[in-house]
Amino acid sequence: MASDAVTIPSSTRLPQEAEGTWLETLHGWVTTVDHKRLGLMYIGLALVFLLIGGVEATIMRIQLAVPHAHFVSPQVFNRMFTMHGTTMIFFVAMPILFGFANYLVPLMIGARDMAFPRLNAWSFWMAAFGGLLLYFSFIGGDGLYGAGSAPDVGWWAYAPLTSPAFSKGHSTDYWTIALLVSGFGSIGTAINILTTTLSMRCRGMTLGKMPLFAWLNLVMSGMVLIVISPLTAAQIMLMIDRYLGGHFFDTQAGGSATIWMHFFWIFGHPEVYVLVIPAFAFVSEIVPVFSRKAIFGYPVMVAATVGIGFISMSVWAHHMFTIGMTSYGNAFFVATTMAISVPTGIKIFNWLGTMWGGKIRYATPMVFCLGFLFQFLIAGLTGIMLAAAPWDWQLSGSYFVVAHFHYVIVGGILFALFGAFYYWYPKMTGRMLDEVLGKWHFWLFLIGFHLTFDFMHIPGILGMPRRIYTYEPGRGWEGWNMIVTIGVIFQAAAVLLFVANLVRSYFKGAPAGNDPWDAWTLEWSTSSPPPAYNFAVPPEVKSRRPLWDLKHPEDPDWKYE
Amino acid sequence: MSTSEPKPESEQSGQPAIDLGTSGTSAATGSVPPVSVKLPAPTAWPFVLAFGLSLIFAGLLTSAAVSTLGVFLATAGAVGWACQVLPFERQETTQAKAEAAPVFTSRPEIARIQTLPEMQRAWLPIEIYPVSAGVKGGLAGSVAMAVLAVVYGLISQGSIWYPINLLASIVYAQPFQLSTRHLDSFHPELLLVATAIHLMTSVLVGLLYGVLLPMVPRRPILLGGLVAPVMWSGLLHSTLGIINPLLNQRIDWMWFVASQIGFGVVAGLVVAHQERVRTRQHMPLAALAGIEAPGIVLEKGSKGEDL
């Protein structure tokens, strides 16, 4: 019966070559073109930068915990918020999501590797070298022979702050070339994911039978191709301004500082969706498995994702309401920003619909997804508030905005990402992550997150500007800032616990087996970790849940799809 | 909607339940002999190319020597990479052994989502107005509202253009830069904006009436014509001072409420006189949502209607 439905010969790991010296091991990783190894390298790179970015955030919060603090100098504070933002977006969020996509997309679609394995390796190394260049600025920011200093212009790097008059030395240039180099890598990865999902699916896997994870990463990759280009163009224009006498962003010489803002946010806002769509992908895989139900409204989920992809390209200037656009401009960007909440809302309802009536298992991956659902909803609501131009005029540049986007990035994306770690770590390593430590991680992080980012909204409403170095007492900000900083302690403890769990479980975790979650997509049909070739014989599927078909031959999905 | 308690497989389908975990019976495929698999050969050239390109950029900020080294490495990387794939892709062969590993499920029982006949639920109207009814009602209401607004303009300012220019100010800030005398005069661009706003809003509200009125079986005109406009006016009266204080200063609320009621009564009457159509509300939510599952849709090739 089962063979009528699917053909998935399971792969057995053959005895590997004898362990080599550490140099041979290093050589193996440097020269690898295997999508799984590259995925793990992306994830490892991002985790290193996550810790660095976390330290930078902690330094900022210590500085702001009390009024008139001088934990760091104003110059160092400026570098911290610039490096924190740049690191977290470009060298944590993007690589880690690319890492999961790299590892999982070929497995989920029954392919042996990505379409362009060498391009895949090149893309990873470009991202890694981009990150190294950014942090080399601490040494070489003033030139090799001067004292170093990191970029301090904020992660938006608005003109004219980036002009030679206000940004001497090379710190801004390191920021520019780091993003240029990593941007090329991102484009390479996007091309690879697009090509792989469109042309390397196994037999029977039509687009309508592709796992949502692959669908959402396909949309994300298309968006990356579109949105990285204006950022790259702007970086090159900035280099021309700084070194070749150009005046693209020099208002006094006939250029326009506003043009930089447009270029940056044409990239910047879709980038939020570039990051959150893979998080949606994690949730779309985890929630059904732990609810024991197929995803609710698969076609609508795909359509909503594509809709988000399109609409997100037309919302960027809601970051610029305060520059004085025309009423028509304001009205347009208010409308498009409001409109994007519709497909996003559809997704929320569909995840709830998936859980409704299901037999929910509250394992660690699922509880992180539940946290994601609640927090992403709140983030969306404050997003709608900021989408209203008059509201934005009041709160733009305040800590309310900082709280809002951290709700998206941390409360939404990072929670989903943690869920993904707990869900796919067994597949990647062959070992289960410890559930008890996982629950501790969840609760500590949840408490820390809400202490920090719930209460961060309030000083914002009370007028506290973002990027402020310190503040006077008596403005009603100090108590809230202290609570926000205390929350960071909980978050830091949770992340350290998570890292400890990763390391401990790698050596001592319970063996995972091929399919520890009783799941339904193809990656769970192969061994954990999978062999280099993924599948000994390319699989053939007939439905969106091939392993369900195999496990329930009396009631396969393909009879109804 | 809820799920039933899991029943033994045999009770649900009439087939014997399969024992996946305990007896060793599995739903796996047969074994497959070892096969040779060709995979892309590992190579350092992408690393070399990426390193070279990074050095080219780094050299712009440090030293020409760094860029020169970068150019050398990038060239070597590109050539090396090309040699990896031309004329044929360099591959390595691996022996893959496939065997029939058991595929288990810890939950072999399947619970079905109950469908309508077994459930108690509130019924939405089984007949509603078509979309065209809402459009017609909205357009008719827009005429009534426009007449009242023009009358207001004539009485209060002696000009029909005053309310039109004010309406345009919702998205077009220019009227507030004009004096009252200017607001009384004709401005073609404001007329265009006001007309667009008026028509769009009227049609949207008309559509809303078309949806809502069937849900109010008793005195729909009272709700649509009086209660809803008064509530809407109250909401706007309490918030417009914050949202748009300048516009708030110029609004005559008595006339505003009157025009809202005029719209509501006319739109409600027009909608209520349209012919109703049957809905698909009798179908289960699952079927409406496109869920494809046994009990909701039939198997391919079987005869009969879906639920």
Side-chain angles (χ1 to χ4, degrees):
Chain A
M1 259 192 304
S3 56
D4 287 343
V6 284
T7 311
I8 308 170
S10 177
S11 304
T12 303
R13 290 173 63 75
L14 292 176
Q16 300 297 306
E17 300 142 20
E19 289 285 323
T21 63
W22 70 269
L23 204 58
E24 287 167 338
T25 306
L26 181 67
H27 179 265
W29 282 90
V30 170
T31 59
T32 188
V33 293
D34 178 4
H35 72 99
K36 297 179 291 298
R37 278 192 160 195
L38 287 165
L40 292 176
M41 286 158 75
Y42 265 118
I43 293 169
L45 176 80
L47 284 177
V48 170
F49 279 117
L50 174 70
L51 293 178
I52 296 171
V55 169
E56 288 159 352
T58 307
I59 290 171
M60 281 189 280
R61 285 317 316 172
I62 293 172
Q63 167 63 27
L64 290 171
V66 293
H68 282 321
H70 296 286
F71 178 69
V72 291
S73 69
Q75 291 78 16
V76 170
F77 187 79
N78 289 352
R79 288 172 202 145
M80 288 300 105
F81 69 66
T82 303
M83 295 296 275
H84 169 73
T86 306
T87 302
M88 288 301 196
I89 297 294
F90 293 99
F91 298 105
V92 176
M94 287 193 77
I96 210 163
L97 298 170
F98 280 161
F100 273 94
N102 245 302
Y103 197 101
L104 293 169
V105 166
L107 284 168
M108 282 192 176
I109 63 172
R112 288 234 166 92
D113 207 322
M114 299 285 270
F116 307 114
R118 295 164 194 83
L119 177 67
N120 203 15
W122 178 82
S123 301
F124 166 76
W125 289 113
M126 289 298 274
F129 288 132
L132 286 178
L133 278 173
L134 181 70
Y135 276 86
F136 184 74
S137 64
F138 275 107
I139 302 169
D142 277 347
L144 271 181
Y145 308 106
S149 65
D152 56 0
V153 290
W155 84 279
W156 313 339
Y158 270 7
L161 194 56
T162 50
S163 67
F166 301 110
S167 179
K168 298 185 188 304
H170 289 318
S171 62
T172 298
D173 303 314
Y174 276 103
W175 179 86
T176 305
I177 62 167
L179 299 200
L180 261 178
V181 168
S182 69
F184 291 137
S186 300
I187 290 171
T189 302
I191 291 171
N192 231 330
I193 295 172
L194 269 172
T195 315
T196 304
T197 46
L198 290 178
S199 64
M200 295 183 69
R201 298 188 306 279
C202 65
R203 280 170 62 87
M205 188 176 282
T206 59
L207 283 176
K209 290 183 172 54
M210 197 162 68
L212 275 179
F213 184 92
W215 247 117
L216 269 60
N217 277 285
L218 172 69
V219 174
M220 176 273 284
S221 302
M223 292 177 66
V224 167
L225 275 188
I226 296 169
V227 304
I228 292 285
S229 307
L231 178 69
T232 304
Q235 305 285 18
I236 292 170
M237 289 154 77
L238 181 59
M239 292 289 278
I240 291 171
D241 269 14
R242 285 176 63 86
Y243 287 99
L244 299 177
H247 301 292
F248 289 109
F249 310 121
D250 183 356
T251 311
Q252 289 181 322
S256 168
T258 309
I259 289 289
W260 170 269
M261 299 167 84
H262 280 293
F263 268 101
F264 187 83
W265 288 118
I266 284 173
F267 152 79
H269 198 84
E271 171 70 6
V272 176
Y273 290 94
V274 164
L275 301 182
V276 85
I277 284 177
F280 291 167
F282 297 146
V283 176
S284 298
E285 294 299 328
I286 294 170
V287 166
V289 168
F290 288 90
S291 302
R292 313 305 305 160
K293 278 177 67 190
I295 190 81
F296 183 93
Y298 171 97
V300 183
M301 289 293 260
V302 173
T305 309
V306 175
I308 289 171
F310 276 110
I311 301 172
S312 71
M313 302 291 171
S314 61
V315 301
W316 77 90
H318 70 219
H319 291 269
M320 300 160 56
F321 282 140
T322 50
I323 68 166
M325 290 188 292
T326 64
S327 302
Y328 299 116
N330 285 340
F332 175 80
F333 287 105
V334 167
T336 52
T337 308
M338 296 282 182
I340 205 165
S341 61
V342 175
T344 313
I346 287 172
K347 285 183 156 300
I348 299 262
F349 280 117
N350 279 18
W351 289 317
L352 294 177
T354 304
M355 287 189 284
W356 187 20
K359 297 280 185 188
I360 298 175
R361 287 184 290 171
Y362 293 97
T364 308
M366 185 63 173
V367 294
F368 270 107
C369 286
L370 294 176
F372 161 89
L373 278 177
F374 173 73
Q375 286 144 198
F376 188 70
L377 177 66
I378 304 292
L381 295 178
T382 53
I384 289 173
M385 291 158 77
L386 288 168
W391 186 276
D392 189 83
W393 289 333
Q394 297 299 317
L395 290 171
S396 181
S398 77
Y399 255 90
F400 187 90
V401 179
V402 180
H404 158 70
F405 71 71
H406 278 87
Y407 237 97
V408 176
I409 303 282
V410 180
I413 297 168
L414 192 55
F415 266 75
L417 193 59
F418 281 141
F421 265 105
Y422 284 91
Y423 185 61
W424 280 293
Y425 183 91
K427 178 52 60 184
M428 294 171 175
T429 65
R431 303 270 185 180
M432 300 297 288
L433 277 170
D434 187 275
E435 269 290 300
V436 176
L437 284 177
K439 291 286 169 51
W440 272 97
H441 170 206
F442 171 74
W443 285 110
L444 275 175
F445 201 76
L446 188 85
I447 293 166
F449 168 79
H450 284 283
L451 280 176
T452 298
F453 297 111
D454 291 8
F455 292 101
M456 192 181 277
H457 288 87
I458 301 170
I461 291 173
L462 295 176
M464 181 170 164
R466 66 190 300 184
R467 294 172 178 166
I468 193 171
Y469 166 64
T470 188
Y471 50 90
E472 296 284 335
R475 298 188 176 190
W477 302 348
E478 47 268 55
W480 304 115
N481 274 293
M482 178 55 78
I483 295 172
V484 168
T485 301
I486 289 170
V488 172
I489 299 169
F490 282 84
Q491 291 183 70
V495 171
L496 290 177
L497 208 58
F498 168 62
V499 173
N501 197 359
L502 289 180
V503 175
R504 180 184 174 279
S505 299
Y506 183 77
F507 296 105
K508 294 185 177 177
N514 292 1
D515 181 18
W517 306 116
D518 203 353
W520 304 313
T521 38
L522 278 179
E523 77 271 28
W524 303 107
S525 69
T526 188
S527 59
S528 302
Y533 45 83
N534 292 351
F535 304 97
V537 176
E540 181 177 355
V541 302
K542 283 191 172 180
S543 81
R544 294 169 199 146
R545 299 193 298 168
L547 262 65
W548 170 275
D549 296 344
L550 212 58
K551 294 168 181 175
H552 298 278
E554 77 289 357
D555 186 24
D557 278 1
W558 58 266
K559 284 188 177 178
Y560 309 101
E561 286 181 358
Chain B
M1 197 176 289
S2 65
T3 55
S4 62
E5 284 302 309
K7 293 176 182 175
E9 217 49 48
S10 51
E11 286 182 29
Q12 292 183 12
S13 60
Q15 297 173 352
I18 53 170
D19 180 0
L20 293 173
T22 52
S23 69
T25 310
S26 75
T29 58
S31 63
V32 180
V35 288
S36 291
V37 175
K38 287 186 175 176
L39 294 172
T43 171
W45 294 120
F47 171 84
V48 175
L49 177 60
F51 187 47
L53 289 173
S54 302
L55 286 185
I56 291 174
F57 281 106
L60 298 176
L61 312 180
T62 52
S63 159
V66 174
S67 284
T68 306
L69 177 62
V71 170
F72 172 75
L73 286 175
T75 307
V79 171
W81 186 338
C83 292
Q84 283 280 315
V85 292
L86 295 173
F88 301 105
E89 183 185 13
R90 193 165 296 178
Q91 295 178 320
E92 62 177 12
T93 304
T94 304
Q95 286 296 312
K97 184 184 172 192
E99 65 178 27
V103 175
F104 293 107
T105 177
S106 58
R107 299 189 176 211
E109 294 163 349
I110 302 170
R112 310 268 181 204
I113 295 175
Q114 287 186 347
T115 48
L116 259 184
E118 304 149 38
M119 295 176 59
Q120 296 292 325
R121 56 170 287 188
W123 280 75
L124 292 173
I126 54 172
E127 288 186 338
I128 58 166
Y129 296 109
V131 172
S132 61
V135 174
K136 288 175 188 170
L139 290 175
S142 76
V143 173
M145 184 183 252
V147 169
L148 284 166
V150 167
V151 170
Y152 158 68
L154 282 172
I155 293 173
S156 66
Q157 304 291 333
S159 164
I160 63 169
W161 303 115
Y162 181 75
I164 294 169
N165 294 338
L166 264 189
L167 179 59
S169 69
I170 291 175
V171 296
Y172 194 63
Q174 192 190 4
F176 296 121
Q177 296 163 9
L178 303 176
S179 64
T180 303
R181 188 170 62 81
H182 283 101
L183 279 174
D184 293 343
S185 56
F186 171 64
H187 301 281
E189 74 279 13
L190 297 188
L191 176 64
L192 278 176
V193 172
T195 306
I197 293 170
H198 187 54
L199 284 177
M200 200 161 59
T201 316
S202 299
V203 169
L204 285 174
V205 177
L207 288 170
L208 200 60
Y209 272 41
V211 173
L212 290 180
L213 288 186
M215 298 184 188
V216 190
R218 293 179 187 174
R219 298 188 178 84
I221 305 302
L222 179 67
L223 175 88
L226 193 64
V227 177
V230 169
M231 287 177 71
W232 165 244
S233 301
L235 177 69
L236 212 56
H237 182 264
S238 59
T239 55
L240 195 63
I242 301 167
I243 298 168
N244 196 335
L246 287 172
L247 179 63
N248 188 47
Q249 287 171 9
R250 292 187 179 270
I251 287 187
D252 184 323
W253 287 100
M254 287 304 294
W255 277 95
F256 184 86
V257 172
S259 64
Q260 297 291 322
I261 291 175
F263 175 93
V265 170
V266 173
L269 281 171
V270 171
V271 170
H273 281 85
Q274 304 297 311
E275 193 171 340
R276 296 187 183 202
V277 293
R278 275 184 69 81
T279 69
R280 299 168 71 199
Q281 293 298 336
H282 66 287
M283 295 173 68
L285 174 64
L288 290 171
I291 292 181
E292 293 152 339
I296 295 171
V297 293
L298 291 175
E299 291 182 21
K300 284 176 183 169
S302 61
K303 293 178 180 176
E305 274 189 44
D306 292 346
L307 278 173

